[in-house]
Amino acid sequence: MKNLFVKIAAAGLLMLAPAIAEAAEGYSTANVNMRAGPSTRYPAVAVIPAGSSVEIRGCLSDVNWCDVEFYGGRGWVSGQYVQALYRQRRVYVGPQYYRPLGIPVIRFSVDNYWDRYYRNRDFYRERDRWSRGPDYYYRDRDNRDRDRDRDNRDRDRNWRERDRDRDGRDRDRDWRDDNQRGERQRDDRQRGDRQRDDRQGDDRRGDDRRPDRRNFDCRPGDPSCAE
């Protein structure tokens, strides 16, 4: 029985050994963003200060990006900003050093990775879009932005057209009001001219009337005074 327990413990250690070996200690060479995926287009989740120690959990085979752990957080950093100790010297992490450093070659899946590490992040709500890749996400977002801009332009154009129509109606109303006011003023002037002409005519007719003979004092010998 004792030997059985020893064999089980040894088997467990053998199973754990690859997991322990498949990681490497690294150092950031600059203030670099740790991102939610292996591209600069993925959201940044933290900033790793230059010279900080990181644990390299795995790297991609096709692009030089590595999954790292920094102060308990997980994310992706480009290998050109991470160095590791290899044969007593620091080297930038690249595919040729993965195996000697004990770094596993891994794959990236938004669904699995984000479910594990980013459920409390705001960008997790758009996981379905991000799962198609950052290029698709940004293309989709650009399309949405263009649609929104087009809608805004349409609303602005409709507002301008309504304002122009309203201005046109206001100008027409002002033009009609001016015409009506001008016609009233012209009618008033014509009415005043007619009244003035009538008064002047009455004055002239009054001057042309011969005075009543009885209004004059007749002088002796004036024939016009003869009755």
Side-chain angles (χ1 to χ4, degrees), residues 5 12 14 26 28 91-92 99 115 118 130 133 140 150 165 188:
F5 285 122
L14 289 174
S28 63
V91 296
Y92 281 96
R99 184 177 294 275
D115 282 344
Y118 301 137
W130 281 107
D140 183 53
R150 183 170 59 250
D165 293 340
D188 292 342

Side-chain angles (χ1 to χ4, degrees), residues 61-94:
S61 61
D62 52 346
V63 291
N64 189 20
W65 279 78
C66 296
D67 175 20
V68 303
E69 182 176 351
F70 175 68
Y71 276 95
R74 290 289 286 272
W76 291 80
V77 176
S78 172
Q80 63 180 336
Y81 295 108
V82 178
Q83 288 182 334
L85 190 62
Y86 175 70
R87 294 182 178 178
Q88 306 303 315
R89 62 189 181 93
R90 288 189 177 186
V91 296
Y92 281 96
V93 175

Side-chain angles (χ1 to χ4, degrees), residues 89-154:
R89 62 189 181 93
R90 288 189 177 186
V91 296
Y92 281 96
V93 175
Q96 69 273 25
Y97 296 112
Y98 292 171
R99 184 177 294 275
L101 292 172
I103 300 172
V105 175
I106 59 176
R107 295 181 179 181
F108 171 72
S109 169
V110 166
D111 293 334
N112 295 333
Y113 199 87
W114 286 24
D115 282 344
R116 186 176 300 174
Y117 301 115
Y118 301 137
R119 283 183 175 273
N120 61 338
R121 297 280 185 161
D122 292 338
F123 54 78
Y124 183 82
R125 294 194 297 265
E126 297 187 287
R127 182 189 58 172
D128 292 339
R129 288 197 179 94
W130 281 107
S131 64
R132 303 180 187 181
D135 292 336
Y136 177 88
Y137 173 82
Y138 278 99
R139 181 169 63 250
D140 183 53
R141 191 183 67 175
D142 292 342
N143 291 335
R144 294 198 303 272
D145 291 342
R146 281 194 295 270
D147 292 340
R148 184 172 61 250
D149 292 341
R150 183 170 59 250
D151 292 341
N152 291 336
R153 287 194 298 271
D154 291 341

